[in-house]
Each structure stands twice: as C-alpha cells, then as structure tokens.
Amino acid sequence: MNLSTPVVSKVVVVGGGIFGASSALHLARQGIRTVLVNDGPLASGASGRSLAWLNSARRRSAAYHYLRLAGIDRYRTLAAKHPGAAWLRFDGGLTWDADDSSNEIADVFAHERSIGYDALLLSAEEIASITPGVDARSVPAQGAIFNPGEGWVDLPSLIALLVSEFQTLGGEVVTDGGRAKLLTRGGRAGAVTLDDGREIGADAVLLATGAAVPSMALDSGKTIPDATPIALLVRTEAIDHPLRAVLNTPRVAIRPMPAGGFALDSAWSEEEVVARGDGTYQVDQSTIRGLLEEASKVLTGNPKLTVASYGVGPKPIPGDGEPVFGPLKELEGCYVAFSHSGATLGLIAGEILADEIATGEANPLLNGFRPTRF
Ligand SMILES: Cc1cc2nc3c(=O)[nH]c(=O)nc-3n(C[C@H](O)[C@H](O)[C@H](O)COP(=O)(O)OP(=O)(O)OC[C@H]3O[C@@H](n4cnc5c(N)ncnc54)[C@H](O)[C@@H]3O)c2cc1C
C-alpha cells in the first residue's frame, strides 16, 4: 500500500505478459480500478516462451545491476511465500565460455566478486560437488562460474498466480480482445478500444505490449529504438535428470521446467529462424535437433532429449539494450514497459510502475531507464 493519495482512479493495462500482469496486480493492490486487456490468451507473447533465468550475471551499468538485484529480491520474497513451488527455483546458475580467445570467465569472475555478486570459479572436476547434472568434459580449462543466488521462474505459472490475485481484488481481465488501440481524450491517454468496438475509459494507460510497444508509442509521437530479434525456445519432454541449475554455455542455455523437462535456447539457433513476410516463422527440424544435441552434450549421461514443443516469436529488446519504463512526455497519462530480461525485472518493474502511475511521483530507481532518453 502506498500512503500518498492516488492521482488516478482507473487504469487500463494493455498486455497480458509479465509486465502487464505484475503492474495490474500492483495497481489493484493500491485500490485502483484496473482493467488488464490482452489480444490473445494471457502469457501468449514472449513471457510464454522465455528461458526466464533470474540473474544479474556478467557486466552491465550499475543502475541496471541494482534494478535486477531488486528484481531477484522480490522473487526471493515470493519463493519464501511459496516454499517448494515447482515454478520458482533458486538452485543457482552455471556459466562457461568457449575455449578460445573470447573466453572471459576469469575477468567476469573478478568483476562479479568486486561487486559482491555471489560467484564461485570452479574447475570442471569441482562442479559435480557443487551442482549436479553437468558433463565435466564439456567445460574448458578456464572453468565455469557458479552463481548460487540465481534461479528461474515459469512465467505462465507466475502470471496465472498474479492474475488470480488481481481478480480477487476486483481487477477485470479481458482476453482475446484483439489488438487494443489507444485513444486520446482531451489531449491525454483516455481510453482503449478493442476489436469488437468496446471502449474502455481510463485516467492512465500502460502499454505493456512487449514487442509491440515501439509501434504503439510511435502512434503517440514517441520513437523508441527497437532491437527486438526473433527468438526460439525449445521445450523437451519430461526426463529424469539431476540438473537443477540454469546452464549458460557457448552453444546452449538450459533451464529445468516444472514438469521435469528442460527449456533450451541459444544465439545460433535463433539466428536460424526465418521470419516470413506474412508474420509466421519457419523453424527447421535441423535447428531443433541441433539444439537438443547441444543440450545432451553438456548433461551428465548425455541423455537422449526429445522435443515436446517450441515457441518462436519476438523477444522485446530496446535499441540500446536497457529497459524503457515510465511515462511518455509526448502523451500525458500514457506509460510504457519495454525491456529485455523481463523475467528478472517483472515483479519489481510492475511494483514501481504501479506506484508511479498511482502517485504521479517518479521513483529514482527508474531514472536511467526513461523513454525521455531517446
Ligand atoms: C527465448 C527467450 C529467452 C529469454 N530469456 C530470459 C532470461 O533468461 N531471463 C530474463 O529475465 N528474461 C528473458 N527473456 C525476456 C523475457 O521473457 C521478456 O522480457 C518478457 O517476457 C517480456 O514480457 P512483456 O510483458 O514485456 O511482453 P510479452 O510477454 O510479449 O507480453 C505482451 C503481451 O501483449 C500482447 N499485445 C501486444 N499488442 C497488443 C495490443 N495492441 N492489444 C492487446 N494485447 C497486445 C501480446 O500478445 C502479449 O501477450 C527471454 C525471452 C525469450 C523470448
């Protein structure tokens, strides 16, 4: 609860991914009448096909690192409320680099230690005693970094939980409403319209539409540089395997899933996806097979992995790689949430954005991440 009197009484949140669900819940917790609208079912965008590794590993600006740590802190609190949850785990993250001149594991380790980010530098032989399930033969002589404080979340499960509380608090959810459009009233964001012609009025509108944020912001006169790539997430069938940590390796990233399979992605496999002119994507069987094989190589026992499903589509990333959160100067009452690492940031960003929308007061934590920087 915020002690300031809210400056808005009704808000429409457009986008049923993690940023929209989290912001809507935090607004409802502040007693603000909130409508969450999504074009399809909830979690049907990037949040439904995310690796969702909770981390602040490697190097980034101090402000971004701090925000991510606050993000992980909120997940820790949530995990304490849901002990034993299969959809939120803090079993650490293990990462290593290729065995060539690009290997920067020693430098990254020194950096992480210098900023107090929990990190252990392990030789291939030491890994098994710290975290199970990794084939030591795939780890090069430079070793691997284990970050015990990292974890992962199953975003569709989390979104369902957040939206369930949102509805208990009186929040209204409109799914499958088609592409909502922002309407201005009296020179400010005043409503959205849905495909069926319905118009939902509001004192403020949050655009949390993932990869669609830049085009929707442009309609309001704001250019937000966009570096959104197409991403591929492959989910395996359930398998009995001891891996618990999230692995980030040169050829594949792996994280366990609640039902016992693994979620896989990598940079090379996403580059192999072909975006067709009609908005659909071509994913070759050889790409999926290659990713399964790369995953098998780094797992103990080199298990045969089989694909259960895959998700493909845009992964929202702003042009300069840093989050874009807060009000648009060009259109009063319109806010945006557009960022990579939305799994890590989802809870904290929703909390702060709701606070800012409710009070009209800027939180300094987001100062470096405003749309006004463009
Ligand atoms: C393969 C992959 C791996 C990732 N790995 C990680 C990771 O390891 N760690 C991490 O922290 N993050 C990771 N991310 C990033 C993270 O998943 C995203 O940043 C986050 O899910 C984005 O959430 P969102 O709410 O902004 O967007 P989305 O989840 O895309 O939600 C936006 C929603 O808005 C809807 N929508 C769009 N336009 C409209 C409209 N006009 N009207 C109504 N609805 C609309 C969309 O259909 C969608 O449902 C990864 C993402 C991908 C794809």
Side-chain angles (χ1 to χ4, degrees):
M1 156 124 21
N2 194 296
L3 293 180
S4 315
T5 312
V7 295
V8 292
S9 61
K10 185 174 176 194
V11 176
V12 175
V13 175
V14 189
I18 185 56
F19 286 135
S22 172
S23 305
L25 171 57
H26 283 99
L27 283 161
R29 282 182 182 168
Q30 301 221 20
I32 291 165
R33 217 177 129 205
T34 305
V35 185
L36 175 63
V37 304
N38 197 54
D39 48 3
L42 295 172
S44 52
S47 303
R49 43 180 170 75
S50 175
L51 193 76
W53 166 40
L54 306 175
N55 80 95
S56 188
R58 296 197 179 236
R59 291 172 204 279
R60 54 184 45 80
S61 67
Y64 194 11
H65 176 64
Y66 189 87
L67 188 64
R68 293 170 76 113
L69 290 185
I72 294 170
D73 169 75
R74 297 306 190 271
Y75 277 104
R76 286 279 181 191
T77 305
L78 188 69
K81 260 197 211 161
H82 298 271
W87 47 269
L88 175 59
R89 305 293 310 167
F90 278 102
D91 294 320
L94 184 76
T95 185
W96 66 86
D97 285 351
D99 187 10
D100 58 30
S101 59
S102 68
N103 190 301
E104 52 175 22
I105 283 298
D107 284 352
V108 169
F109 175 64
H111 169 72
E112 290 183 349
R113 297 277 295 193
S114 76
I115 58 170
Y117 191 68
D118 202 0
L120 301 169
L121 183 57
L122 304 175
S123 68
E125 297 69 38
E126 288 169 323
I127 291 171
S129 65
I130 303 288
T131 188
V134 178
D135 187 334
R137 291 171 303 178
S138 52
V139 180
Q142 296 88 339
I145 298 172
F146 183 65
N147 300 111
E150 295 179 351
W152 59 267
V153 63
D154 181 66
L155 284 177
S157 304
L158 174 61
I159 289 169
L161 183 85
L162 300 179
V163 170
S164 159
E165 183 186 337
F166 172 67
Q167 289 176 304
T168 306
L169 293 170
E172 189 187 335
V173 180
V174 180
T175 53
D176 302 290
R179 298 251 138 187
K181 288 188 195 63
L182 180 59
L183 292 184
T184 53
R185 278 184 186 158
R188 54 175 292 141
V192 300
T193 50
L194 306 181
D195 269 0
D196 62 7
R198 238 182 313 169
E199 199 170 301
I200 309 172
D203 305 319
V205 175
L206 170 63
L207 303 178
T209 48
V213 169
S215 63
M216 293 183 83
L218 193 59
D219 289 342
S220 301
K222 176 69 192 175
T223 300
I224 298 178
D226 188 10
T228 296
I230 300 306
L232 171 69
L233 187 87
V234 170
R235 308 175 192 92
T236 75
E237 295 285 4
I239 176 170
D240 188 15
H241 192 274
L243 183 77
R244 294 292 172 266
V246 178
L247 296 190
N248 268 278
T249 83
R251 297 285 297 169
V252 65
I254 310 180
R255 69 122 164 119
M257 293 197 305
F262 296 121
L264 317 174
D265 78 354
S266 76
W268 67 264
S269 51
E270 78 184 29
E271 280 161 18
E272 289 187 4
V273 175
V274 178
R276 301 192 188 101
D278 63 358
T280 62
Y281 304 98
Q282 179 185 320
V283 181
D284 288 339
Q285 284 307 312
S286 60
T287 302
I288 294 177
R289 225 178 16 252
L291 204 52
L292 295 172
E293 283 165 10
E294 295 289 354
S296 174
K297 279 187 215 161
V298 302
L299 296 171
T300 47
N302 306 129
K304 180 164 172 39
L305 299 171
T306 47
V307 62
S309 64
Y310 68 84
V312 60
K315 172 161 68 178
I317 301 187
D320 62 0
E322 301 251 313
V324 187
F325 292 133
L328 292 187
K329 217 172 60 201
E330 292 71 10
L331 183 62
E332 207 183 323
C334 181
Y335 292 74
V336 294
F338 177 52
S339 182
H340 181 35
S341 298
T344 306
L345 298 177
L347 296 178
I348 189 71
E351 177 185 318
I352 299 177
L353 280 167
D355 224 26
E356 292 197 337
I357 295 168
T359 63
E361 289 164 22
N363 186 317
L365 264 182
L366 299 187
N367 276 353
F369 308 118
R370 301 298 182 188
T372 45
R373 74 179 182 274
F374 300 117

